[in-house]
Amino acid sequence: MTMVSGDILQTDWMAQIPKDKMVIVIAEGLFMYFTREETKIALQNLVTVFPKGYLLSEMMCKFATKDKGKHHDTVRSTNAQFKWGTDSGDEFVALAPRLRLVEENSFNVVMKDFGLRCKLFATLFPKINNRLAVFQWG
């Protein structure tokens, strides 16, 4: 396994990763801080530099980005802002057509097992939560 750090909007760090094997990129808590255009650059960098791979990405719903995160417990006391959300993983595919959406699950699916309140929320507002999406290319 190779782990490196770098700016996903740049490609220089990607040279450190072998290209003859499949890559797995985990993007948790990342894309909601990017604009749509920045997300497009990042996705296109991945699918262009690496011949084949998987992307596991947390995706924030559009509704949650409306207040830019000012009420969200993880960012309300910082200067961070949510910049872009999606209603479907298909929006990532539109930005980088080499991607194929393999699976997408709302965190509500898991939350509904944690009590009546969570079950009601998951039933009434299935898209008002983050999702885990799995993409493949190559």
Side-chain angles (χ1 to χ4, degrees), residues 80-93:
Q81 290 188 356
F82 298 140
K83 296 180 180 176
W84 186 60
T86 65
D87 288 329
S88 166
D90 292 328
E91 293 177 63
F92 272 31
V93 175

Side-chain angles (χ1 to χ4, degrees), residues 36-49:
R36 182 181 184 279
E37 188 57 34
E38 289 169 328
T39 301
K40 180 178 182 176
I41 291 167
L43 296 174
Q44 289 182 348
N45 284 348
L46 290 174
V47 302
T48 300
V49 172

Side-chain angles (χ1 to χ4, degrees), residues 91-106:
E91 293 177 63
F92 272 31
V93 175
L95 298 177
R98 285 195 62 211
L99 288 176
R100 180 178 64 84
L101 180 60
V102 175
E103 184 176 2
E104 182 174 9
N105 292 298
S106 170

Side-chain angles (χ1 to χ4, degrees), residues 10-80:
Q10 305 295 321
T11 58
D12 55 335
W13 62 272
M14 295 178 183
Q16 300 173 53
I17 300 173
K19 307 297 182 287
D20 61 334
K21 297 180 179 159
M22 183 172 297
V23 297
I24 299 173
V25 178
I26 301 171
E28 190 274 330
L30 177 67
F31 290 116
M32 68 274 297
Y33 298 102
F34 286 2
T35 64
R36 182 181 184 279
E37 188 57 34
E38 289 169 328
T39 301
K40 180 178 182 176
I41 291 167
L43 296 174
Q44 289 182 348
N45 284 348
L46 290 174
V47 302
T48 300
V49 172
F50 300 109
K52 56 186 174 181
Y54 282 93
L55 169 65
L56 287 72
S57 179
E58 177 184 13
M59 305 184 79
M60 180 171 275
C61 69
K62 288 180 181 177
F63 177 81
T65 63
K66 289 189 187 312
D67 69 1
K68 305 296 185 210
K70 65 183 175 188
H71 301 293
H72 197 279
D73 60 341
T74 60
V75 297
R76 71 174 157 233
S77 61
T78 70
N79 289 328

Side-chain angles (χ1 to χ4, degrees), residues 108 111-112 115-126:
N108 284 342
M111 287 178 51
K112 71 180 180 181
L116 179 61
R117 184 172 145 211
C118 292
K119 189 173 202 160
L120 283 171
F121 187 81
T123 303
L124 297 173
F125 307 106

